[in-house]
Amino acid sequence: MGKPKVVLGVSGGIAAYKACELLRRLTESGHDVRVVPTDSALHFVGAATWSALSGNPVSTEVWDGVHEVPHVRIGQEADLVVVAPATADMLAKAAHGLADDLLTNTLLTARCPVVFAPAMHTEMWEHPATQENVATLRRRGALVIDPAVGRLTGVDTGKGRLPDPAEIFEVCRRVLARGTAGPDLAGRHVVVSAGGTREPLDPVRFLGNRSSGKQGYALARTAAARGARVTLIEANTGLPDPAGVDVVRVGTAVQLREAVLKAAPDADVVVMAAAVADFRPETYATGKIKKKDGQDPEPIVLVRNPDILAEIAADRPRPEQLVVGFAAETDDVLANGRAKLARKGCDLLVVNEVGERKTFGSEENEAVVLGADGSETAVPYGPKEALADTVWDLVAHRLG
Ligand code: CTP
């Protein structure tokens, strides 16, 4: 089998330079990349750069190498087309099926998955024309990654930035791996919590846990690549924002609860992958706690934190909403998991065994997903994103 064939479409925005980094990641990970820029893209990055980095010829026109019928062949042969950056004009052309250059022709002939990574000024992104074009493209099965929020060209900031190329690459990798399975979570809103809460004692100390957040991030990235709108509520992970995902940062269990309750009302699924502290110090010292010579330290008095998972499972804003929990267990893993599923009242519970060198911080995981309907799905030891995909398979099946 040859290398997977990727078409990298580049339209004319200042973020075109970031597509060089995406191109490098794609070629270095064994993809055969054909760059198809628009004429305006070449104002930002020249054809020589695209050609040298891809090792393939570069053209914007259907009139070059006509004997090879490039306007049809490039799209037909592709395993993936990714347009990054996609300007408002490009989204409009794609939504309306215009074909006045090589890239727009390629988009019409491609039958493989298509990913658009839009980048533009906030006003252009928010304009009803652009939003309707995005909705049209999504309805037809394309994956349109929401732009990131941040600094735009010049001094303004807002939604419209091209996400980090490394994260667009992550989306491409997952979409390619799914082949023709398509974005089965399109139109769904999923809320995922990730990381571990920290309960402060004073301005410098906290009670925390070993959760790295990697499983929650794998869930968020996988859901986004399957077309879902994703709200990721992260506690103390320090991980980069996944492309197209709305990230909410929290610190403590109480803040996490607030953020989950705020995001949950229109969610189809809430997945509680975060390790939430069951207790917090009763008092917070506004100044650093000092040791006093000759005195024993003051005991730390703890109070219970709310059980967010049990609360959202018991009090669903919509009866059809699905709630997924995680159970980290060190002993009697399955028996404890079954009891926890019943106690928390969730639809699915991902049970895994944890320990100092197991699961926490690692790239791999092994788990059993228990269903309230009595089902048990064993997920063998493997990458956290494989477990994430199994969770979304079970969720997609239940959403119908
Ligand atoms: N959880 C939660 N709120 C809490 C504690 C846990 O929402 N205050 C959620 C976690 O996000 C996870 C699930 O509950 O999805 C189970 O977490 P775990 O720590 O395994 O369970 P606990 O309820 O803390 O039970 P125990 O410590 O007794 O094992």
Side-chain angles (χ1 to χ4, degrees):
M1 233 180 71
K3 293 178 175 181
K5 286 188 187 308
V6 176
V7 173
L8 171 58
V10 185
S11 52
I14 184 71
Y17 77 93
K18 293 191 189 169
C20 299
E21 165 76 6
L22 175 60
L23 171 56
R24 194 184 59 78
R25 284 182 186 264
L26 286 165
T27 52
E28 283 181 2
S29 56
H31 300 91
D32 179 14
V33 188
R34 176 84 193 232
V35 183
V36 184
T38 62
D39 266 339
S40 1
L42 296 184
H43 286 291
F44 296 98
V45 179
T49 301
W50 301 122
S51 187
L53 287 177
S54 68
N56 275 319
V58 168
S59 167
T60 63
E61 293 304 323
V62 295
W63 309 114
D64 296 332
V66 176
H67 61 290
E68 289 182 332
V69 204
H71 74 288
V72 177
R73 196 177 48 80
I74 294 173
Q76 280 177 340
E77 289 179 355
D79 296 302
L80 173 76
V81 177
V82 51
V83 185
T87 57
D89 179 63
M90 178 51 59
L91 295 173
K93 282 181 171 157
H96 291 85
L98 300 187
D100 59 357
D101 64 2
L102 188 55
L103 178 53
T104 45
N105 274 273
T106 299
L107 285 168
L108 281 186
T109 51
R111 292 295 175 268
C112 57
V114 178
V115 175
F116 291 92
M120 63 198 71
H121 267 77
T122 312
E123 292 82 353
M124 295 174 93
W125 171 251
E126 287 175 348
H127 195 285
T130 304
Q131 286 303 307
E132 277 171 34
N133 291 331
V134 168
T136 300
L137 293 167
R138 284 181 174 153
R139 202 175 56 248
R140 290 189 196 135
L143 191 83
V144 184
I145 303 171
D146 263 31
V149 176
R151 181 87 185 262
L152 303 170
T153 326
V155 290
D156 34 356
T157 55
K159 190 163 183 169
R161 260 174 84 85
L162 190 74
D164 187 348
E167 293 296 329
I168 301 175
F169 169 72
E170 287 297 318
V171 175
C172 293
R173 198 171 62 73
R174 284 177 172 79
V175 171
L176 257 174
R178 281 180 64 72
T180 49
D184 61 345
L185 294 175
R188 302 293 187 180
H189 178 207
V190 311
V191 174
V192 178
S193 71
T197 64
R198 290 180 180 176
E199 309 300 321
L201 278 161
D202 69 13
V204 287
R205 303 180 181 97
F206 58 82
L207 301 180
N209 61 65
R210 291 178 184 276
S211 175
S212 66
K214 286 180 182 169
Q215 185 61 62
Y217 271 65
L219 281 156
R221 289 198 170 98
T222 311
R226 291 171 75 150
R229 174 160 80 83
V230 183
T231 306
L232 173 62
I233 303 169
E234 78 86 35
N236 311 298
T237 65
L239 296 172
D241 291 356
V245 167
D246 188 13
V247 182
V248 181
R249 295 186 200 289
V250 298
T252 66
V254 169
Q255 291 167 355
L256 179 58
R257 174 179 173 274
E258 267 169 35
V260 170
L261 294 186
K262 188 168 169 220
D266 75 340
D268 296 286
V269 197
V270 179
V271 183
M272 284 294 299
V276 187
D278 289 320
F279 307 100
R280 66 176 181 276
E282 186 180 39
T283 51
Y284 171 74
T286 50
K288 188 181 169 198
I289 301 168
K290 307 290 275 184
K291 55 186 172 302
K292 297 188 186 86
D293 283 346
Q295 280 184 22
D296 286 340
E298 292 285 325
I300 298 170
V301 180
L302 299 175
V303 293
R304 281 291 286 266
N305 267 330
D307 187 325
I308 307 165
L309 179 61
E311 186 178 343
I312 48 167
D315 200 9
R316 302 184 195 209
R318 298 198 273 155
E320 67 278 15
Q321 186 178 73
L322 293 175
V323 176
V324 183
F326 271 69
E329 303 291 343
T330 52
D331 312 288
D332 289 335
V333 177
L334 272 186
N336 279 333
R338 280 196 198 94
K340 198 170 277 184
L341 174 74
R343 199 168 67 238
K344 302 260 186 178
C346 47
D347 301 283
L348 294 168
L349 189 78
V350 185
V351 186
N352 50 37
E353 199 178 330
V354 293
E356 278 204 23
R357 271 182 294 280
K358 268 190 182 153
T359 303
F360 286 127
S362 115
E363 302 297 333
E364 278 87 28
N365 211 345
E366 179 183 354
V368 178
V369 188
L370 303 177
D373 54 5
S375 66
E376 267 185 32
T377 311
V379 185
Y381 186 79
K384 286 184 172 174
E385 65 183 79
L387 172 56
D389 263 321
T390 303
V391 170
W392 296 126
D393 288 345
L394 294 167
V395 163
H397 179 71
R398 280 163 177 75
L399 289 172

